[in-house]
Amino acid sequence: MTETVLLVGGGGREHAIARAVADDCALYACASVRNPGIRRLADGFESSDETDAEAVAEYATAVGADLAVIGPESALEAGVADALDDAGVYAFGPRAAEARLETDKAYQREFMERNAIPGCPDYAVFDDTEAACQHIDEYDGDLAVKPAGLTGGKGVKVIGDQVTAAEAKAYLRDSDYDRVVLEERLVGEEFTVQAFVANRDVRTTPAVQDHKRAYEGDEGPNTGGMGSYTDTGRSLPFMAEGDYEAAVDVLEAVVNALPDYKGVLYGQFMLTDEGPKVVEFNARFGDPEAMNTLPILDTPFVDVLAAARDGDALPELDFSGEATVCKYAVPDGYPTDPDAGAAIAVDEESAGDALLYYASVDERDGGLYTTTSRAFAVVGRGDSIAAAEAQAEDALAAAGDRVRIRHDIGTADLVQRRIDHMDELRP
């Protein structure tokens, strides 16, 4: 029997999900922006606010959905999974209570400490700005300053890297956050491991390294992610034997403590000289990390969804063994002053063998327009990171004008710098 799947969300992550399931199901989608890639793959598309839980559940019921996949964290925070589950549509995404693991960073750290989850850094939570500023003055070392709520990946300020202590205090006083988490600055190399979780099963995907900084050479402000890469196996070139397994142990410990968790559990780790430490957890696919891992997943993703719904053991995951490199095209001025509403032209044919994923673009009036976020991505695949990077770089002829790209992602020089960095840090 063909499954009917509802996809919630209209970004690059959701385009990757759509491509992963479209051949094996009847696909419907709802999103606040009209993503042309998703619209072409879907049997039906509803323009709707992803955080309107009641409207999403009504649409799912109307199209006879058996399953739903929720892309954005804002939808999880708004209880969209709860509404779908309550309407009899299995949502592959955590209910709002479990999604707090991402949506409330104070809860996240307190949960880790309470349940002895490995890799928790030293931290403190404040609801008083001046008390937080005093902690910055008194703490022996650098701190990461994190608003407790969702900030789209752009709210964190790291003392000693992005800002000075004085600038961090000014940031807190100007921002007027209700609660903030101040935690020890972790030094090392970041990587991500995403897992499919249901019925207490944990199935992990290859490690990914994302690049948050806006400009080449890891310069500039943080973004939602300018691109990312994977290697041909589960690990990355700068990781030592056992590092990947240690990260998986953390994810399994989370699921042991949250046995009702379902959906994607994303662990963002800092590989330090003491091993992996947890930067944060997300309760959904990463963007761009979904675009690295789903295209090389040989196990049908619909089979994972159906097993989760039916209470069966999740299938073991098979991957193609290819490396991937993802590079994003973003509006001029992104992230501080993005050129939103600009008409752009994307020559899909020029992407060649690479995959092209539309992200935060709006298809209207016969054209394609930028929003305030990332526009589209290309993903190269190959038998090495170098081969995947070359394919992605060749595909960037599709970018056209009025967008900017970090061309250094996945290059041999950048990857070697990561290896050298860890060699310097390890005892």
Side-chain angles (χ1 to χ4, degrees):
M1 182 181 73
T2 300
E3 303 286 358
T4 301
V5 176
L6 174 69
L7 172 61
V8 180
R13 162 183 49 215
E14 290 78 28
H15 190 184
I17 297 168
R19 188 171 277 162
V21 301
D23 290 343
D24 301 313
C25 71
L27 177 64
Y28 292 82
C30 60
S32 56
V33 295
R34 291 168 291 278
N35 182 308
I38 297 173
R39 281 167 61 94
R40 286 179 214 154
L41 293 167
D43 296 283
F45 188 97
E46 178 80 358
S47 293
S48 174
D49 184 346
E50 297 95 336
T51 63
D52 188 336
E54 183 178 347
V56 172
E58 286 179 358
Y59 182 61
T61 302
V63 300
D66 310 293
L67 296 160
V69 184
I70 301 169
E73 61 271 32
S74 57
L76 295 170
E77 183 179 44
V80 171
D82 307 58
L84 287 164
D85 286 342
D86 294 346
V89 179
Y90 180 87
F92 192 70
R95 296 173 73 91
E98 282 80 28
R100 284 186 70 198
L101 198 63
E102 171 174 9
T103 62
D104 184 339
K105 291 183 178 64
Y107 168 81
Q108 179 185 112
R109 291 310 190 198
E110 290 160 355
F111 165 86
M112 291 188 70
E113 184 175 32
R114 186 168 61 251
N115 293 284
I117 306 296
C120 187
D122 181 30
Y123 76 95
V125 179
F126 297 90
D127 56 14
D128 179 87
T129 297
E130 290 310 312
C133 291
Q134 183 176 349
H135 184 73
I136 291 173
D137 288 334
E138 296 175 351
Y139 187 78
D140 183 18
D142 291 333
L143 291 162
V145 179
K146 298 184 174 183
L150 295 175
T151 59
K154 297 184 279 289
V156 177
K157 306 293 183 185
V158 181
I159 298 171
D161 179 23
Q162 300 164 304
V163 295
T164 64
E167 288 168 338
K169 291 185 289 183
Y171 168 65
L172 287 177
R173 288 170 174 139
D174 292 343
S175 301
D176 195 30
Y177 292 118
D178 291 335
R179 281 182 311 154
V180 295
V181 182
L182 303 182
E183 55 191 48
E184 65 171 305
R185 176 192 175 190
L186 299 175
V187 177
E189 287 295 331
E190 289 192 36
F191 69 96
T192 297
V193 177
Q194 299 168 108
F196 303 149
V197 178
N199 315 318
R200 302 194 180 192
D201 283 341
V202 179
R203 301 287 184 262
T204 59
T205 64
V208 186
Q209 186 170 58
D210 183 20
H211 299 73
K212 291 288 189 185
R213 293 300 191 94
Y215 310 127
E216 295 187 11
D218 297 317
E219 299 292 334
N222 272 359
T223 70
M226 293 296 295
S228 46
Y229 68 94
T230 63
D231 206 345
T232 53
R234 299 269 178 142
S235 190
L236 289 166
F238 57 81
M239 297 169 68
E241 185 177 354
D243 289 338
Y244 179 87
E245 291 75 14
V248 173
D249 288 344
V250 172
L251 299 179
E252 290 177 341
V254 170
V255 175
N256 286 337
L258 282 178
D260 293 332
Y261 192 97
K262 57 187 175 67
V264 175
L265 177 59
Y266 164 121
Q268 184 178 358
F269 299 93
M270 183 72 78
L271 181 56
T272 72
D273 59 354
E274 298 177 344
K277 297 287 186 75
V278 176
V279 176
E280 66 177 358
F281 295 114
N282 290 337
R284 37 71 191 181
F285 277 113
D287 186 341
E289 292 93 336
M291 291 179 276
N292 293 97
T293 51
L294 285 173
I296 58 171
L297 176 64
D298 286 340
T299 305
F301 187 40
V302 168
D303 290 356
V304 177
L305 301 177
R309 177 199 59 201
D310 297 340
D312 297 335
L314 297 186
E316 298 295 334
L317 303 183
D318 293 321
F319 293 89
S320 69
E322 295 168 292
T324 67
V325 172
C326 173
K327 301 191 185 193
Y328 248 119
V330 303
D332 286 338
Y334 176 82
T336 53
D337 187 24
D339 184 14
I344 58 173
V346 180
D347 180 9
E348 295 181 13
E349 292 299 319
S350 69
D353 293 330
L355 300 172
L356 191 150
Y357 292 104
Y358 288 102
S360 293
V361 292
D362 199 20
E363 188 179 40
R364 53 185 166 84
D365 303 327
L368 203 59
Y369 295 83
T370 60
T371 68
T372 58
S373 192
R374 298 162 294 175
F376 65 92
V378 294
V379 177
R381 296 165 292 175
D383 60 6
S384 65
I385 296 172
E389 191 277 329
Q391 188 180 92
E393 191 65 21
D394 287 346
L396 290 172
D401 298 324
R402 309 189 77 168
V403 293
R404 181 175 54 78
I405 296 149
R406 264 196 69 172
H407 292 279
D408 63 341
I409 293 168
T411 59
D413 180 63
L414 182 144
V415 173
Q416 187 60 49
R417 289 205 307 272
R418 304 303 197 242
I419 296 169
D420 293 343
H421 186 206
M422 286 312 304
D423 286 345
E424 292 169 4
L425 290 176
R426 287 190 178 101

